[in-house]
Short mmCIF file of all heavy atoms in Angstrom, two decimals:
data_model
loop_
_atom_site.label_atom_id
_atom_site.label_comp_id
_atom_site.label_asym_id
_atom_site.label_seq_id
_atom_site.Cartn_x
_atom_site.Cartn_y
_atom_site.Cartn_z
N SER A 45 107.08 45.53 62.92
CA SER A 45 106.23 46.06 61.81
C SER A 45 104.81 46.31 62.27
O SER A 45 104.16 47.27 61.88
CB SER A 45 106.24 45.06 60.68
OG SER A 45 105.69 43.81 61.08
N THR A 46 104.30 45.42 63.21
CA THR A 46 102.94 45.62 63.73
C THR A 46 102.85 46.87 64.58
O THR A 46 101.87 47.65 64.51
CB THR A 46 102.56 44.39 64.56
OG1 THR A 46 102.70 43.23 63.78
CG2 THR A 46 101.09 44.50 65.02
N GLN A 47 103.93 47.17 65.38
CA GLN A 47 103.94 48.36 66.22
C GLN A 47 103.95 49.60 65.37
O GLN A 47 103.26 50.58 65.67
CB GLN A 47 105.14 48.31 67.15
CG GLN A 47 105.17 49.43 68.19
CD GLN A 47 106.32 49.28 69.13
OE1 GLN A 47 107.11 48.37 68.99
NE2 GLN A 47 106.43 50.17 70.11
N ILE A 48 104.72 49.59 64.32
CA ILE A 48 104.76 50.73 63.42
C ILE A 48 103.40 50.98 62.77
O ILE A 48 102.93 52.10 62.67
CB ILE A 48 105.86 50.54 62.36
CG1 ILE A 48 107.21 50.54 63.03
CG2 ILE A 48 105.77 51.64 61.30
CD1 ILE A 48 108.35 50.14 62.08
N SER A 49 102.80 49.87 62.36
CA SER A 49 101.49 50.02 61.70
C SER A 49 100.42 50.55 62.68
O SER A 49 99.56 51.32 62.32
CB SER A 49 101.07 48.68 61.12
OG SER A 49 100.91 47.70 62.12
N ARG A 50 100.55 50.12 63.96
CA ARG A 50 99.58 50.59 64.94
C ARG A 50 99.76 52.08 65.23
O ARG A 50 98.77 52.80 65.37
CB ARG A 50 99.73 49.79 66.24
CG ARG A 50 99.20 48.36 66.17
CD ARG A 50 99.41 47.63 67.45
NE ARG A 50 98.86 46.27 67.38
CZ ARG A 50 98.98 45.37 68.39
NH1 ARG A 50 99.64 45.71 69.48
NH2 ARG A 50 98.41 44.18 68.26
N THR A 51 101.00 52.55 65.31
CA THR A 51 101.20 53.96 65.53
C THR A 51 100.67 54.79 64.37
O THR A 51 100.09 55.85 64.56
CB THR A 51 102.72 54.27 65.72
OG1 THR A 51 103.39 53.72 64.59
CG2 THR A 51 103.23 53.57 66.98
N GLN A 52 100.88 54.24 63.16
CA GLN A 52 100.32 54.94 61.99
C GLN A 52 98.79 54.94 62.04
O GLN A 52 98.17 55.94 61.71
CB GLN A 52 100.82 54.27 60.73
CG GLN A 52 102.31 54.49 60.50
CD GLN A 52 102.77 53.71 59.22
OE1 GLN A 52 102.01 52.98 58.64
NE2 GLN A 52 104.02 53.94 58.90
N GLN A 53 98.23 53.83 62.48
CA GLN A 53 96.76 53.77 62.54
C GLN A 53 96.22 54.75 63.60
O GLN A 53 95.19 55.40 63.35
CB GLN A 53 96.34 52.35 62.89
CG GLN A 53 96.56 51.35 61.78
CD GLN A 53 96.29 49.94 62.19
OE1 GLN A 53 95.85 49.71 63.29
NE2 GLN A 53 96.59 49.00 61.30
N TYR A 54 96.91 54.82 64.77
CA TYR A 54 96.43 55.75 65.79
C TYR A 54 96.59 57.19 65.33
O TYR A 54 95.75 58.08 65.63
CB TYR A 54 97.19 55.57 67.12
CG TYR A 54 96.72 54.36 67.87
CD1 TYR A 54 97.57 53.31 68.19
CD2 TYR A 54 95.36 54.25 68.28
CE1 TYR A 54 97.13 52.19 68.88
CE2 TYR A 54 94.89 53.14 68.97
CZ TYR A 54 95.77 52.12 69.30
OH TYR A 54 95.35 51.03 69.95
N SER A 55 97.68 57.49 64.62
CA SER A 55 97.88 58.89 64.18
C SER A 55 96.86 59.27 63.15
O SER A 55 96.38 60.42 63.16
CB SER A 55 99.31 59.05 63.66
OG SER A 55 99.47 58.20 62.55
N GLU A 56 96.56 58.36 62.27
CA GLU A 56 95.62 58.68 61.21
C GLU A 56 94.18 58.37 61.60
O GLU A 56 93.25 58.67 60.88
CB GLU A 56 95.97 57.84 59.94
CG GLU A 56 97.34 58.20 59.42
CD GLU A 56 97.72 57.33 58.23
OE1 GLU A 56 96.86 56.49 57.85
OE2 GLU A 56 98.82 57.49 57.70
N LYS A 57 94.04 57.74 62.80
CA LYS A 57 92.71 57.38 63.28
C LYS A 57 91.94 56.54 62.30
O LYS A 57 90.78 56.78 61.98
CB LYS A 57 91.89 58.63 63.65
CG LYS A 57 92.50 59.42 64.78
CD LYS A 57 91.65 60.62 65.14
CE LYS A 57 92.23 61.42 66.29
NZ LYS A 57 91.41 62.56 66.66
N VAL A 58 92.65 55.50 61.74
CA VAL A 58 92.05 54.60 60.79
C VAL A 58 92.10 53.21 61.37
O VAL A 58 93.15 52.75 61.82
CB VAL A 58 92.79 54.63 59.44
CG1 VAL A 58 92.17 53.60 58.48
CG2 VAL A 58 92.70 56.02 58.85
#
Side-chain angles (χ1 to χ4, degrees):
S45 61
T46 305
Q47 186 176 2
I48 294 172
S49 63
R50 285 179 179 176
T51 54
Q52 291 176 355
Q53 290 173 5
Y54 283 121
S55 62
E56 297 176 3
K57 296 182 179 181
V58 177

